[in-house]
Amino acid sequence: MIDFFIKVKEQMALNLPFVIYRKPNKTKLTGFFQKNDHLYFAGDFNEMGFVFAPFDGSRIILIPKKESVLWESELTAFNADYDSDIEYPENIEDKERFESLVKKGVDAVASGTFKKVVLSRKEIIDLANFDLVSVFKKLIYTYPAAFCYCWFHPKIGLWIGATPERLLKASKKKFCTMALAGTQNYEDTIDVVWEKKEMEEQQFVTDFILDSIKSLTTEVAVSSPYTLKAGGVLHIKTDIEGKLNKDSNMKQVVSVLHPTPAVCGLPKQSAKNFILENEEYDREYYTGFIGEINKKEFSKDTSKTDLYVNLRCMQIKDKRAHLYIGCGITEASIPEKEWKESVNKSMTMKKVL
């Protein structure tokens, strides 16, 4: 694993694109190290490599396998020497701004503009010292059940995250996705009671996915909702899997799923319009999607696509961490509670800085 991170530092020193990542509950690190600084884009999803897509779905950046060196390494024991109890002062202006935004979202739901909207904010933290490798190590050991990644391109920037939400996993015509919604703090048990607001939010997400993929699939199976632990918070999760019909392809499925109600809202377009008009900042790659497309398995001839929603993430620039946090808003949402939820979610990234 030491050689793996030496390669990361060498790539950074050369100012060349790369991505390193660890999948949920796995012990293998994977890295794509691009051999030039060209900006490649995914077109028809027949490419092979790693994609990084923004919230608006345009300009899906590709680190192509054919233009990269692929490294894999097994995790070894690591002691994360850091203080997870650092307190960050509450910014009153940020609090008031976000609660005002949430109130506007609640009013829009009540007026029938949409059933749900996901509203977000950005928090900026000054970094006295930042070491990419040590932060990434802390991330993968602190959040073993998340998809943890570090993505860099000199023409785009440096992004790091630990997301609990898979957008799509597919091999040939088989696929699986998930509906994820609702949030509460983890307090030593996943045997919890969910309020009506969270259950409704979860059902909105599930119904949207099933309706969206209906015309593209021949068969679909849906699990019962269950509680998922993601770092220091809990979510409600429903697994959805099935088979695409012979005329459907991965690009079509991604197009109808992204952005999901878990990061945008329902109906999708009206919620998205509200977000773009009212959030007053550019989400960029937050709530976009990331992951492998058509990655060949070494032991098999088949290729797999494995994409995740870019949640619990931050961008590092100018010695500052730009943290992105969002909350699902329905008519039952209370602005002050949503602020507190956003603060809890922000701790995913703050713990490793």
Side-chain angles (χ1 to χ4, degrees):
M1 191 170 78
I2 295 174
D3 289 343
F4 184 91
F5 287 116
I6 288 174
K7 177 64 177 176
V8 172
K9 290 182 177 181
E10 288 175 346
Q11 195 80 353
M12 281 294 290
L14 293 169
N15 207 31
L16 291 176
F18 70 89
V19 62
I20 55 175
Y21 58 96
R22 197 271 342 264
K23 292 187 178 182
N25 302 309
K26 301 297 182 182
T27 59
K28 183 172 71 175
L29 289 173
T30 304
F32 283 83
F33 299 93
Q34 195 170 304
K35 293 177 282 188
N36 57 55
D37 67 354
H38 187 73
L39 202 55
Y40 297 97
F41 299 97
D44 56 11
F45 268 54
N46 286 322
E47 301 90 352
M48 186 182 296
F50 193 98
V51 290
F52 195 57
F55 170 64
D56 65 11
S58 63
R59 280 169 43 101
I60 300 174
I61 299 171
L62 173 72
I63 295 183
K65 183 179 182 297
K66 65 180 180 180
E67 301 293 342
S68 304
V69 175
L70 177 64
W71 278 47
E72 294 184 332
S73 177
E74 284 294 318
L75 286 172
T76 56
F78 170 76
N79 292 319
D81 182 20
Y82 67 101
D83 184 358
S84 61
D85 297 320
I86 296 175
E87 292 188 9
Y88 292 87
E90 188 173 88
N91 187 304
I92 301 302
E93 288 185 8
D94 284 353
K95 182 176 185 292
E96 291 176 349
R97 189 182 303 114
F98 188 66
E99 289 183 1
S100 175
L101 175 63
V102 171
K103 176 64 166 59
K104 193 180 291 188
V106 171
D107 291 344
V109 175
S111 69
T113 305
F114 33 66
K115 293 181 179 179
K116 170 193 172 180
V117 64
V118 180
L119 299 175
S120 69
R121 65 182 180 91
K122 181 166 75 168
E123 185 173 342
I124 301 176
I125 297 175
D126 291 325
L127 300 175
N129 297 292
F130 176 79
D131 180 74
L132 183 151
V133 169
S134 64
V135 168
F136 184 71
K137 285 180 178 180
K138 292 172 189 176
L139 196 71
I140 58 179
Y141 284 100
T142 305
Y143 301 105
F147 178 86
C148 297
Y149 78 92
C150 175
W151 185 96
F152 171 74
H153 197 293
K155 297 174 182 177
I156 301 295
L158 174 64
W159 287 75
I160 300 173
T163 174
E165 183 173 357
R166 173 176 270 135
L167 178 69
L168 177 73
K169 184 177 182 179
S171 179
K172 294 185 177 179
K173 288 292 183 178
K174 293 181 180 179
F175 75 93
C176 63
T177 183
M178 67 168 69
L180 194 72
T183 302
Q184 61 176 280
N185 288 339
Y186 173 69
E187 296 179 356
D188 299 323
T189 180
I190 62 171
D191 185 16
V192 296
V193 176
W194 291 96
E195 295 181 3
K196 181 181 177 182
K197 180 253 183 185
E198 283 84 10
M199 295 301 294
E200 287 180 346
E201 188 181 343
Q202 166 68 8
Q203 196 59 51
F204 288 158
V205 177
T206 303
D207 291 344
F208 163 80
I209 293 174
L210 294 175
D211 186 62
S212 298
I213 63 176
K214 183 168 53 179
S215 64
L216 302 173
T217 57
T218 55
E219 54 188 72
V220 175
V222 183
S223 76
S224 298
Y226 61 95
T227 300
L228 170 75
K229 181 178 180 290
V233 295
L234 303 175
H235 301 293
I236 312 171
K237 179 182 177 184
T238 300
D239 295 313
I240 301 168
E241 59 183 50
K243 188 175 182 181
L244 299 180
N245 49 34
K246 62 180 182 179
D247 298 323
S248 302
N249 58 55
M250 284 302 109
K251 187 175 182 180
Q252 289 175 311
V253 179
V254 171
S255 295
V256 299
L257 289 180
H258 176 73
T260 70
V263 300
C264 183
L266 266 178
K268 183 194 292 190
Q269 196 55 53
S270 55
K272 188 175 181 179
N273 291 341
F274 184 89
I275 289 167
L276 296 175
E277 291 169 8
N278 292 279
E279 278 192 344
E280 298 181 351
Y281 85 101
D282 185 357
R283 289 188 178 189
E284 298 185 55
Y285 294 88
Y286 166 61
T287 62
F289 61 86
I290 52 178
E292 304 163 341
I293 57 170
N294 301 315
K295 183 174 179 287
K296 286 282 180 74
E297 297 293 314
F298 287 124
S299 59
K300 302 175 183 177
D301 292 331
T302 58
S303 60
K304 292 183 178 180
T305 292
D306 199 6
L307 304 176
Y308 293 79
V309 181
N310 193 20
L311 301 175
R312 312 292 196 276
C313 64
M314 59 183 169
Q315 184 181 19
I316 307 297
K317 58 180 178 180
D318 302 324
K319 296 183 179 179
R320 286 177 154 189
H322 296 245
L323 280 63
Y324 299 83
I325 319 107
C327 300
I329 307 304
T330 66
E331 192 172 357
S333 296
I334 300 171
E336 188 174 359
K337 283 189 175 181
E338 300 301 335
W339 165 257
K340 289 178 180 177
E341 179 180 317
S342 78
V343 171
N344 291 334
K345 287 180 176 178
S346 73
M347 292 308 299
T348 299
M349 292 293 102
K350 289 175 179 174
K351 280 183 177 181
V352 301
L353 287 175

